[in-house]
Amino acid sequence: MSDTLLPLLVALPLLGAVLAVAAGLASERAAAAVTTLVLAAQTGLAGWLGSQAVLDGPLSVGVGGFVAPYGIELVVDGLSAAVLVLVAVVSLAVLAFATEDAPGGTAFYAQYLLLVTGLSGMAVTGDVFNLYVFLEITGLATYALVASAGTGRSAVSALKYLLFGTVAASLYLLGVGYALMATGTLNMADLATELAAAGYDSPLVLASFGFIVVGLATKTALFPLHTWQPDAYADAPDSVSALIAALVSTVAAYALLRLIYTVYTPAFFEAVPVARDALVAFAAVSIVVGSVLAVTQSEIKRMLAYSSVSQYGLVVVGLAIGTPAAVFGAVVHLLGHAIMKGGLFVAAGAVADLTGARTVDEYAGLADRFPVLGGASAVLMLAMVGVPPAVGFAGKWYIALGAVRAGSWPVAVVIFASTLLTLAYFALLVERMFVAPASESVLAATDGGRDGDDDTDALGPSPPSASRPSRRALALVVGAAVVAIVLGVVVTDLGTALEPTIDTLLSP
Amino acid sequence: MIELLTTKYTYLVVVALLGIGAYVMIESDNFVKKIIGMNVFQTGIFVFFISSAFHTAGRSPVVQSGGGGGPFVSPLPQVLILTAIVVGVSLTAVALGLVVRIYERYGTINERTLEEVRADE
Amino acid sequence: MAASPLTALPPAVLVLAAALVTALAGRRLGHLVAGLTTGLVTVWVWVAPAGTHLTGTLFGFDAVFFQIDPFSRIVGLVFAFIATAAIIYSWATDASERQTAYALTYVGSSLGAVFAGDWLTMVVWWELMAVTSTILVWDYGGKAVRAGFRYAVLHGIGGSLVLGAIAWHYAAVGSFLFSAAPGGMVGTIPQVLAAVGIGVNVGFIGLHAWLPDTYPRPHIAASVFLCVYTTKTGVYAMYRAFPDGHLMIAYMGGAMAVFGAGAALLQNDMRRLLSYHIQSQVGYMVAGIGIGSALAQAGAFGHVFNHILYKSLLFMTAGAVLYQTGEENLKYLGGLARKMPVTAAAFTIAALSIAGFPGFNGFVSKGIVISASHYTFVKGPLVVGEFYTLELLLLLGGVGTFLSFIKFGYYAFLHGPYEGDPVTSAPRPQQAAMVLVAALCVFYGVFDGALFGLLPFDVTDEAVVHHVYHTYTVPHVVEGLALAAAGVVGFAVLKKPLSKIGRVPDVDAGYNPLVFYGTRALVHGVTETYAAVDRAAVGLADRAAAVRADPSLLSRFRADIGGSIFILMLVLGGVLAWLGIV
Amino acid sequence: MTDIASLRPALAVAVAAAAVVPILVSARRPNLREGWTVLAAVGSFALVASMLPGALDGTVYVADFGPLVAGVEFSLRADPLGLLFATVASLLWLVTSFYSVGYMRGLDEDDQTRYFAAFAASVAAALGVAFAANLVTVFVFYELLTVATYPLVTHDETPEARAAGRKYLAYTFGGGVAVLAGTVLVATMADTTAFTAGGIGALANADPVLARVAFVLLIGGFGVKAALMPLHSWLPDAMVAPTPVSGLLHAVAVVKSGVFGIARVVLDVYGVDLTSALGVGLPLAIVAAATLLIASVIALRQDNLKRRLAFSTVSQLSYIVLGIAVLHPTSIVGGLMHIPAHAFMKLTLFFTAGAIHVETHTDDISEMAGIGKRMPLTMLAFGVAAAGMAGIPLVAGFVSKWYLLLGSVGAGQTVFAVALLLSGVLNIAYFWPVFYQAFFESADDHDAKPLVEFSLGGESRSLLPAESEPDPGTVTDGGHEDEDDHHHGGPPAGGWEHRGWRGGESTWFMLGPILAAMTGAVVLGVIPGTAVFLRLVKVIVTAATGVAV
């Protein structure tokens, strides 16, 4: 019975987008309200369907009554359920911050919901071409959201992202084309058997794999295909940065995982080991170079962006290694990274709103003035570094365990080293925040307001207008920190929930 | 399996389109030209799909009453490409919108010039 | 053995407690308490029956905290007695109660070491003795401090060697108890370590330089304490380590007797001269231990007993002179016999005792050792008539002793009139202490049987010793007189050249710079190496930071749109090539 | 041994950790805030102590919290080895709590709330390390310990402190990574990481090369905090932290967590037999022996007292490692005994250094001549502890070193015995000048320090200035100044004033802890068998080696 509700996961936000536009005719607030409602409903729906999928096994439905493999199939298994819930929850949470931070406008909310549509669609679809469509919907919404900052920079970054993203999606489409030529089907489950029939070493299959991986790797922003990402993250509005940093690449990486294991299946890697080696090498390089680049950034959001390059490298390494532990680790890190990075971008946004500080140096002394915000950010950063018991550790543990069990020693070394690489840039920031003398911007933000007089807010100079972070931003950052730790603690429960899915995924 | 050999010339066209598109995107400093390049690139892919659907002596896949009438060209790629074209058009629209915004801000749509302008920011 | 009144308060503990009281009680009362306590301990040692002991566990090992046997008794007795005399002397020489308290801790730890019934207990006290004696030296301040530090380091090394010896010994035996290994140290390594480690304390040649370096520097009363305990505890420990003797040790003892006396002859500083004589005299004891026969050991321990009496007396007299004149260089003294008659008399008695002149106690015990070297030891490579190698060395040491004490006495008390500030006689209490000890020197010289009664072996009993010893035989007295005559003649001959000799460097003039500069080189080498590595690492980090500080360095590598797509195409090509398609 | 389910180990950790919250909340009421610290210290010590009798009888208290990651329980287990470390850490935390009050208030430091909160968190993490029942749980607390101590290291917020903090993080997280890697390898080879007395059996069947690699990783990782050379360099730099931190954390809790980790790895993961069979004990012992000698040599040259103490710590920690690495039951007893022994002694030493800093703003040894007049009790405590460091009997250091010596001789590894003895002499060489110049030299006439930098036989110096102002560049206290005492280090003009033996030299908040720590060191040195540690150590070693000692 719940199967039939699956299309709602896509339809609801899509419809919501239309509604938001309509409501926006009345007022911007109404659009925001509609968006909130829709996302809340989406969260509930995702949660319910997700739990069904986890408890009772995968749900699937053929859209419009066409049965698979001829029609478009929507599938929710444990993995996509997790991603769905993540998308819904994060987008709802970030919306709280977006309503007070973003440039607003009805269009913004419509784009926001459109993005959720695309992401949810990518998560539930069981059809490779359908995936392309959702990929492009996601892309379109993202480009628009990045540009919604209204600045020239954001427009340039959005354009860069657009061109690059489109080419990447086109490559993916090309890959789909090769697969189609090889098999004549687009359904993922069907492709799995047909590709095997076509022979994994046939040029068509190999070509399809190559194009698809390169296309999705670009969307995931692995080095050196990441070049769109720092610009986009840095120039987007802060709430958008938070949203896309948390979700867009995450879902792209999910798609990569889905394609590799549902479509190509582990047997493909068995038959074509070079494919796995390529992916592992690619991702390992990404880990190292991303971190190095992050260390060299002076701007916070760019640093966080490069950090993502590195972290997704870790995720992809995990999924490429392909032992159950490693894949589970990749999923954990995927989810955890979304929470942590989202929280950090919200924090960066809140800080910028408060003090105008956007560079590492300007962060000096921040924690003395905003102890809770600083503390929660520090927790998130340390979680990302991999300090237990936070989720960053859990993901790394499983990935490392998988790498060691698979005997891929160089990769294991890189994985372990990634802790230090991550530390390299975050420690720098923590040090600035906690033990450096306060920078001018931080001082300016709190001068006069420090004595606890709320009235002075109104008198302050315009960009740093408040003397303490907004409740919502604070709640989000603290919430992210808490979730990052809780996720780490309950990781074994997550493991139990996802185990059947991953076992199915990895069964040859 | 679709026979590669018979479609080899379209295949060359595809490669040419992809190459041209990529080249324009890489080499042209003009944003609008880049967008055109992107369109050319996408078109190459469209052609690739459509040509893959070709079947010697195939007919358009309209099933006559009572069935039969084949062989048909494969209808599936054509459907897909219809969708892809729509996507492409939307992308082009958004891209052009962004170019307009850039022009408003910086007074140029040339990437090199833009870099110089932004260097002074 | 169950706790009894005799074992309830071991002497060491009693003395340490007294030290605490002394430090707090003020000068007069403090010295009184100190003197009474050591006096009491003297009596305690005297009356406690042999075999009195206290067992227990120390740090988890079986231990005998103290035990009385003939060897420990004689040493403990004289230790406690001389402490009493030295405390009287301290009180008379304005020593602070703090210094005397330090001295008491030193006395206490020495007593602890001597009465210990196992190696672990002994080494605990042994180390404490090193610490307390160091503090006693330091207390005087000034030059004594650095000397005390050198002393501490050297004794730290010696103590470490002893620790090592005991550890090895334990590995072989499985117990620390003396009773578990009646033959002393087991195995070559422990024996070498023990010999060298204890050798630091007893002043083996080459390891002795701390003696003349340290003892002349502290307070004069402190010197009286110092000259007694460290070296003699060493002799005692040497016996415990080598109860059956050892050839090399015996010869080392002979060499020390000669070397110490010879070096003493060259000295002009009174206490420095006396310090070398400690080495020389300890040489006789070491020789006795090394010979290892009952006679020799009896002689060695008798000599310990006598030596403590006269050597402390010598330090007292030297101290009295120093106390009155403020001068310790023999070159600037002289003619004091008239001004300080009691001191001069005490000195004379002590000098005759140490030189082994018939009728004084040194003659008795030295005679036993020399006799043992003749009758119970190998002949050795050098034989002159009836005299064997070791015996010759010991006799030669005797001549040197005569020589140097004639020098001391001549320059201090006889030679010319004293030209310094007016000098009065030593204070009464000082005199009392000196007379008390001097009387004993004579007593044990005349009534040699009293001494024999204290010895661990009865040297007059044929059943016990290989060769029955008689003190006053004609050849022996003649021998003593001949040595004295040789000394007088020798001094007459050497007086002139000796007076021209300045300060003679000892081995420490070699090893001190070697150790010091060697350590400095090592320290610099190590620290600079590490600093260089550290600098390199930090420099690397700084350079990385510089890259961040200067974004323009990186912006060149930032890809624009065209570049990005170019890279994408390259990667695509690369991947396809890797997969083997293109 | 019988396992009993009990929350006590977890509570001991939780009490310390929970203290963070009220401490932060009562930031504006210092007395209340310090009250929380003391309360938590008393509470966690009481909890730890309550488990001691059981531990001696072979009872192990276990608190199990379900899986941490797949196949690994998050579990706290108060076995004898864990209790050894926990007792030392929690007892000395109590002592240090009082001292911290005296120190921080004496200097009127900034950010005292953060300081006390981080302190409580650090101790909680250290207790967690002590009680962790498997490698993964250890790793969790090991990393948290790093994080919790970071604010303490950088407390001064000076560029120097920040640099030290960076180094600290880099080294200790580096170590953490190695531990993690080793843990993963062990988990892969043995399918468990739970500590087992005598070693995890399954490891014996593992590929020896991998087993060795994992051993090296684990030891290297823990070796960072244990300051094994060449991984030690963070420790001297971390001395910019306030002295109670240097005392408790960088001489007891943090560094000992590294040493403790090594003990766990050798005794409870690999086991003595396997360690020996793999041939990894000897290299470790060589590293430890080299460290203890080289660090002593470096210490000779340090003028800053805390830096000298830091190198001494580096050296002394390697005693422990050496004892364990020699793998002889007696030497292991010695090594483990040195954990409490060194803790008490080094804490005393750091406390005295801090008291001198607070009272006189003097940090350099070369400026301390004659200071015994000013601070007699403090310097006496220094002397006692310094004697213990050199292995002088009746202080704790002798007992542990004695066992070490017996063990290394007994194991036939004589070269290590030589290193131990040599190090004892070096200890005399670098500690005793500090002591003797305090009491037996005076400010106007003393040997220039450090001795090794000046001419043979000493160079006479006077601290009483001909020029009025000493070099202000040596001040590292962040510029806090006593109102009535404006000079920076060294004696005031006219020499040290004389203060008696009745405690007029400082506050009892500092003197009390100093004397308490010193007394602890002496008690351990005189009656180690009665004080609980030696018994505990023997239980541990008997369980780990199967040999009754």
Side-chain angles (χ1 to χ4, degrees), chain A residues 216-293:
Chain A
L216 289 177
T218 309
K219 288 282 186 185
T220 315
L222 290 185
F223 177 86
L225 306 177
H226 66 285
T227 49
W228 58 271
Q229 189 235 35
D231 289 336
Y233 285 13
D235 297 335
D238 294 330
S239 56
V240 173
S241 305
L243 186 70
I244 61 180
L247 297 179
V248 173
S249 293
T250 305
V251 178
Y254 159 80
L256 190 59
L257 171 65
R258 178 60 75 190
L259 281 164
I260 287 176
Y261 288 110
T262 303
V263 175
Y264 289 91
T265 72
F268 175 75
F269 274 159
E270 296 292 322
V272 193
V274 286
R276 165 176 288 168
D277 295 346
L279 198 54
V280 169
F282 200 11
V285 169
S286 197
I287 292 175
V288 176
V289 181
S291 300
V292 170
L293 289 173

Side-chain angles (χ1 to χ4, degrees), chain D residues 454-517:
Chain D
F454 294 91
S455 64
L456 175 67
E459 255 177 51
S460 185
R461 286 288 160 90
S462 172
L463 282 175
L464 303 185
E467 76 279 30
S468 57
E469 199 61 15
D471 176 20
T474 57
V475 180
T476 55
D477 59 11
H480 308 294
E481 289 179 349
D482 244 325
E483 263 98 273
D484 56 352
D485 191 12
H486 274 277
H487 73 94
H488 299 292
W496 300 105
E497 63 177 304
H498 183 79
R499 303 227 178 144
W501 290 84
R502 304 228 167 94
E505 62 203 73
S506 182
T507 64
W508 281 102
F509 264 125
M510 282 194 280
L511 274 180
I514 289 174
L515 296 178

Side-chain angles (χ1 to χ4, degrees), chain C residues 120-217:
Chain C
L120 180 57
T121 310
M122 175 185 259
V123 83
V124 165
W125 291 112
W126 182 274
E127 297 276 351
L128 286 178
M129 189 174 73
V131 176
T132 49
S133 55
T134 305
I135 290 176
L136 182 58
V137 175
W138 277 344
D139 185 61
Y140 195 59
K143 291 244 178 258
V145 173
R146 188 64 179 251
F149 182 56
R150 286 192 290 270
Y151 174 87
V153 171
L154 197 66
H155 279 265
I157 295 171
S160 296
L161 293 172
V162 175
L163 281 175
I166 296 172
W168 253 275
H169 176 76
Y170 179 80
V173 177
S175 167
F176 292 118
L177 300 179
F178 292 150
S179 56
M185 285 286 162
V186 175
T188 311
I189 294 176
Q191 283 183 356
V192 171
L193 288 174
V196 178
I198 299 171
V200 170
N201 267 40
V202 298
F204 274 10
I205 295 171
L207 305 174
H208 68 283
W210 58 272
L211 272 164
D213 184 29
T214 315
Y215 286 180
R217 301 197 198 266

